[in-house]
Amino acid sequence: MPHQPMPPGIAGQSWLVRVSTTRARTDPASCPTHVRMAVRPLLVPDPPLPFRSSPLQEFGLGPLFDSLDLMEHRGWPIERVISELRRTHGVFGGRGPIAHPALLTWTAETLERFTGARAAEQVTARDADLPFTEPVGAEWSVRTAKQPEADARGAQQYEHTVWGRRYASADGSVRDLWLPSLGRAKPDRSDAEKAAIAHVLALGEPGARPRWGDAPPEHATRLVRTPDRVRVFDFGCADGSTQLLLDWNQKDVERQFAEHAAPAFHESATGTAVRPGSSCVDCKALNACTDLHRAPGLWGGSPSMPTRKRRTVSAWDLRLHAECPAEYHLTRHLHLNSLQEEGEGASRGRAVDAWLNERHRSDARNPRGCRNLPGPADPGRWSAGEHRLEGDLARQGAAMLREHRALCPLDGLAKDERVLVQERVTAYIPELDVVVIADPDLLHTRSGGWIWRETKTSTSRLWERESLMQLYPQLALGVLLLAAGAMGADPRRSWVEFELLNEDDSTLERLDCGRAEVVDEARDIVAGLAQPLLDDTTYEPRTGRHCHSCRARPWCAPGSTYVSERDSTHAPLPEGGAPRV
């Protein structure tokens, strides 16, 4: 039976499809070709990539899971685990990278929350006459028998795995899975992901953890005793909250899997579209991918030493690392989240952006601009998508929307010109092994060139004494990407525009990508920000007024000290003082 060929730059065998339940999640930014390669563990890049270690732990939940393993499977008391966590910097005698000091503090706090939440749930289960569930060390997986011939997908065997903390009753009648979320407990997950998880809980056979590059046994998995009931809990690491996501029997699982999970897994195993972006970091087919734009010497940087594994870099990464390397590592790599509310200016900016994005998306089908854009019916209370404003913030935002009407780049744009809203622009720097990612607010063509528009909101004016690209590095990155031909247009006909919306005095500035002095300045700015980021191996805290709004501050000792030594009512930076990307 014919099946889909593998893309160039790939070696190995494609007959095994191993799919984690996380592949059932819908991610519009992921690359279907990358996913199709990723679920085939016997495929490898050709030529092969060398192993490159990381200086610090980059999986935020890694030390937590290792700590729970010691408690649940080796009987260590929590005091001993936390002591060993700090003594070994989260390695516990292993050979992996050490954890950042703030991650150690976060792990110790989360460990106590998790054990408390599990104990509370067991009390609830006892009151409901449910059996206790105990930790399960062996991984659960569902595996089909290896067939002599490949199917239409080129597969002969399928294996489904699940991620999370596993628990089961002594008689096997109940199986539980706990999924940690780095913020609050998620109130729900997609139907496809829930069905995929329940499928493995209901039919999964315990065994050794599958190694991604190894072939499993040829026989199918089979349980002697299938559970009558499978349950999935979501746990919020930031606040200890718990949410029951599902409580199903075998018939529920079978129906839900066929309706929701099976189509999602089919898409994972068969996708052929190419969508450059964050997926490129782990993609086996990157070396031969013709859709990913190559931009050697984009800013003239040098490879980090020792050589690190492939990474992504965005303008936000550059600015955040320059402000505080620890905040960059803890929030961008590890995704730690203290649930601190964002500032009023950021809330207003997101609402204005959402309103304009929706309008511009309609213009992408029939460009007409925002000159006649109707503002909110009630300027003192309005919303855009999930963003809701009231009072002065709402009135400020409504005034900024009125200001945009005179600055909208789509007014008068010909119908045959392209309009892209929040379109991801990606380029690869081969000598640095870095994938550059940018998400401009608006892109559109005009007379053979691309116009890159960034829109920001502020109650403050621009600082005339500072370089615009220095204040907003995303503008410098946009200049470099357009100058390097990342959009496939003549750089001499392309430029970057910056729209700063104020209540009554907005600004529009233009940066010409065809002028050498503009490109040179952009290159100097990005290189000055990127090289320290690429070379960093410790991510030391750099305290300052940004500590007040840092979502990782509760676990950062220097940042907490900095804030505690100042007035608790200390105001954050004014909007125009040090603009964030």
Side-chain angles (χ1 to χ4, degrees), residues 56 348 365 453 471 546:
L56 288 180
R348 183 194 59 231
R365 296 185 292 272
R453 174 69 69 98
L471 283 172
H546 52 267

Side-chain angles (χ1 to χ4, degrees), residues 14-303:
S14 62
W15 59 262
L16 173 62
V17 174
R18 178 178 291 150
V19 188
S20 169
T21 55
T22 57
R23 291 294 179 190
R25 298 173 185 170
T26 301
D27 182 3
S30 67
C31 173
T33 293
H34 157 72
V35 174
R36 182 162 60 98
M37 300 300 101
V39 300
R40 289 170 165 83
L42 304 185
L43 292 178
V44 294
D46 185 21
L49 296 177
F51 172 77
R52 294 170 179 170
S53 61
S54 301
L56 288 180
Q57 171 67 258
E58 293 188 349
F59 177 41
L61 294 168
L64 175 65
F65 273 41
D66 290 342
S67 298
L68 287 170
D69 285 345
L70 292 173
M71 291 182 60
E72 294 179 341
H73 307 310
R74 296 180 60 180
W76 285 25
I78 189 171
E79 297 79 11
R80 181 184 176 187
V81 171
I82 292 177
S83 175
E84 195 70 4
L85 169 76
R86 298 190 182 282
R87 188 186 71 81
T88 66
H89 303 283
V91 178
F92 293 114
R95 301 178 62 183
I98 63 173
H100 191 280
L103 178 58
L104 299 177
T105 301
W106 179 91
T107 300
E109 291 184 7
T110 305
L111 183 63
E112 293 180 341
R113 291 193 187 105
F114 185 88
T115 54
R118 262 283 297 167
E121 188 281 322
Q122 289 290 273
V123 172
T124 302
R126 181 193 61 195
D127 294 342
D129 293 326
L130 290 174
F132 286 103
T133 56
E134 298 293 336
V136 176
E139 301 276 351
W140 290 325
S141 63
V142 179
R143 183 178 63 250
T144 64
K146 185 179 180 182
Q147 300 301 310
E149 299 293 335
D151 61 17
R153 306 184 187 108
Q156 295 171 259
Q157 189 173 28
Y158 293 85
E159 189 172 30
H160 291 192
T161 63
V162 68
W163 175 87
R165 303 303 301 181
R166 301 167 302 279
Y167 305 89
S169 60
D171 62 0
S173 63
V174 176
R175 280 185 173 181
D176 293 343
L177 189 79
W178 282 60
L179 299 173
S181 293
L182 290 165
R184 295 184 178 90
K186 291 182 174 63
D188 200 4
R189 299 205 179 206
S190 71
D191 290 336
E193 184 177 4
K194 290 190 295 184
I197 293 170
H199 174 69
V200 179
L201 267 62
L203 301 176
E205 182 180 67
R209 182 178 185 180
R211 293 173 59 89
W212 198 247
D214 290 349
E218 295 189 359
H219 59 83
T221 53
R222 183 177 180 182
L223 277 179
V224 176
R225 164 70 157 94
T226 56
D228 303 320
R229 192 171 189 171
V230 297
R231 304 185 303 171
V232 178
F233 297 88
D234 204 291
F235 168 74
C237 294
D239 61 357
S241 57
T242 304
Q243 177 71 47
L244 178 64
L245 299 181
L246 66 87
D247 184 350
W248 294 346
N249 59 34
Q250 288 283 343
K251 289 185 177 179
D252 294 331
V253 173
E254 182 178 358
R255 183 181 68 255
Q256 294 284 345
F257 181 83
E259 183 177 350
H260 300 294
F265 285 144
H266 173 79
E267 184 176 344
S268 296
T270 59
T272 57
V274 178
R275 189 176 298 123
S278 55
S279 297
C280 298
V281 170
D282 302 314
C283 187
K284 302 173 184 178
L286 180 139
N287 287 336
C289 180
T290 57
D291 290 77
L292 177 60
H293 181 78
R294 264 67 175 174
L298 186 66
W299 59 69
S302 57

Side-chain angles (χ1 to χ4, degrees), residues 455-472:
T455 301
K456 298 298 171 189
T457 63
S458 179
T459 56
S460 302
R461 307 294 190 268
L462 284 175
W463 286 14
E464 295 183 359
R465 295 183 180 181
E466 290 197 51
S467 159
L468 188 62
M469 289 189 286
Q470 191 76 54
L471 283 172
Y472 297 92

